[in-house]
Amino acid sequence: MASARAALLRRHGLAAVGANPALFSGHGLRYRKLEVILTTTIDKLGKAGEVVKVAPGHFRNHLMPKMLAVPNIDKFAILIREQRKLYQREEEVVKEVRQEDDDAKQMEEKLKEYQTAAKRLDNALLVLRRFISDGNELRTPVTKDEIVSEVARQLNINIHPDNLHLPSPLASLGEFELPLRLPRDIPRPEGKLQWTLTVKIRRK
C-alpha cells in the first residue's frame, strides 16, 4: 500500500514534497535571510559597514538589541556611510599621532643606546699588542680598520671607521687618546670637549 502511494506521488512529480523549502514559505521565515548593515566588525560575519545576510532570529534577538547591525534600508545605509567617514578620519588622525609618538620614542631609545655606547668607549682602555723593530717603533703600524675591529671584539661595540679620527696609523708603543666623531645629538661628556677612545699599544 505504501509502495503504491509512493509510486503515485512520483508519477505526479511530488516525491520530494517533504524536502522542498519553497513549500514552507507560508510557515514562517525559516529559509529566508535578512540583509543587514553591520555597525561594528564581528568575527566570522563581516566588517563594520558591510552588508551581510543573517537569520531573522539572530538579528532580532542578538544583533539589533546590541545595535551591532541595522536593517539594510536607505536611511540606515546613508547614516552608516556618514558615520564610517567620520570614524575613518578619526582613525587616520589617531594613527598619525601614534606613528609620530612611536618614531619619537624610537629616536629617544636609540639616542640613549648611542650615549651608553659613547660612555663605554670614553671610559674604556683598548689594548693592542704588537711586535717592535727599533726602539718603540712597530713592525706594522696600527690602522683605523684594525682599531674598529678590536673595538668590536674587546668592547662588543660596533663603530664605523668614520666615527674614529685617525689621520695616520699608529706606528709606536704608547697610549693614545683618539677623538671620536659621534652624532651631535649625543651630549658631550662632562668636563670634556668631545668623546675619545684611549688606545694602548704594548710590546708583544
Side-chain angles (χ1 to χ4, degrees), residues 5 33 35 42-43 45 52 66 75 86 89 92 107 118 136 141 152 158 164 173 176 180-181 183 190 200-202:
R5 185 178 299 171
K33 286 195 173 185
E35 283 193 352
I42 301 176
D43 290 340
L45 192 56
V52 297
K66 297 180 180 180
K75 65 177 182 180
L86 291 174
R89 291 195 199 105
E92 287 172 2
M107 285 297 296
N136 288 336
N158 294 318
L164 188 64
L173 297 177
F176 306 88
L180 293 170
R181 293 171 173 169
E190 293 183 10
K200 188 168 186 177
I201 303 178
R202 292 178 174 174

Side-chain angles (χ1 to χ4, degrees), residues 35-80:
E35 283 193 352
V36 299
I37 305 172
L38 298 178
T39 59
T40 186
T41 299
I42 301 176
D43 290 340
K44 298 181 181 179
L45 192 56
K47 296 181 179 180
E50 287 184 349
V51 177
V52 297
K53 289 184 178 182
V54 296
H58 182 59
F59 173 70
R60 182 173 60 252
N61 300 325
H62 178 68
L63 299 179
M64 186 173 66
K66 297 180 180 180
M67 290 304 295
L68 300 177
V70 294
N72 184 22
I73 56 179
D74 289 343
K75 65 177 182 180
F76 285 121
I78 294 171
L79 179 62
I80 293 296

Side-chain angles (χ1 to χ4, degrees), residues 169-180:
L170 303 176
S172 62
L173 297 177
E175 192 169 299
F176 306 88
E177 198 172 73
L178 308 179
L180 293 170

Side-chain angles (χ1 to χ4, degrees), residues 130-139 173 203-204:
R130 291 292 185 271
F131 290 109
I132 60 171
S133 53
D134 297 326
N136 288 336
E137 297 297 318
L138 305 181
R139 287 187 187 177
L173 297 177
R203 187 197 304 266
K204 197 169 186 179

Side-chain angles (χ1 to χ4, degrees), residues 26-203:
H27 296 274
L29 299 173
R30 187 183 308 175
Y31 289 94
R32 290 178 56 195
K33 286 195 173 185
L34 291 176
E35 283 193 352
V36 299
I37 305 172
L38 298 178
T39 59
T40 186
T41 299
I42 301 176
D43 290 340
K44 298 181 181 179
L45 192 56
K47 296 181 179 180
E50 287 184 349
V51 177
V52 297
K53 289 184 178 182
V54 296
H58 182 59
F59 173 70
R60 182 173 60 252
N61 300 325
H62 178 68
L63 299 179
M64 186 173 66
K66 297 180 180 180
M67 290 304 295
L68 300 177
V70 294
N72 184 22
I73 56 179
D74 289 343
K75 65 177 182 180
F76 285 121
I78 294 171
L79 179 62
I80 293 296
R81 278 200 300 270
E82 293 303 316
Q83 286 182 340
R84 287 302 300 164
K85 288 178 184 178
L86 291 174
Y87 290 147
Q88 283 174 355
R89 291 195 199 105
E90 290 176 1
E91 288 171 2
E92 287 172 2
V93 171
V94 169
K95 284 181 181 177
E96 288 177 3
V97 171
R98 284 180 180 171
Q99 186 63 42
E100 289 176 0
D101 290 344
D102 290 344
D103 292 344
K105 189 174 181 180
Q106 287 178 2
M107 285 297 296
E108 187 178 350
E109 289 176 355
K110 284 184 178 179
L111 190 59
K112 286 181 180 178
E113 290 177 6
Y114 292 154
Q115 189 168 2
T116 301
K119 287 180 179 178
R120 284 186 60 192
L121 289 170
D122 193 66
N123 296 325
L125 176 63
L126 193 71
V127 179
L128 293 87
R129 296 184 180 275
R130 291 292 185 271
F131 290 109
I132 60 171
S133 53
D134 297 326
N136 288 336
E137 297 297 318
L138 305 181
R139 287 187 187 177
T140 55
V142 178
T143 64
K144 183 187 291 188
D145 289 337
E146 287 178 297
I147 294 174
V148 169
S149 178
E150 284 299 314
V151 167
R153 189 180 69 83
Q154 294 185 32
L155 306 178
N156 199 28
I157 298 174
N158 294 318
I159 63 172
H160 194 274
D162 291 342
N163 296 137
L164 188 64
H165 181 64
L166 183 64
S168 59
L170 303 176
S172 62
L173 297 177
E175 192 169 299
F176 306 88
E177 198 172 73
L178 308 179
L180 293 170
R181 293 171 173 169
L182 302 179
R184 293 180 179 179
D185 294 338
I186 301 176
R188 293 178 182 177
E190 293 183 10
K192 297 179 69 174
L193 296 176
Q194 61 184 357
W195 297 100
T196 58
L197 171 66
T198 303
V199 177
K200 188 168 186 177
I201 303 178
R202 292 178 174 174
R203 187 197 304 266

Side-chain angles (χ1 to χ4, degrees), residues 2-14:
S3 59
R5 185 178 299 171
L8 183 62
L9 289 173
R10 279 198 299 272
R11 187 182 310 160
H12 293 281
L14 300 175

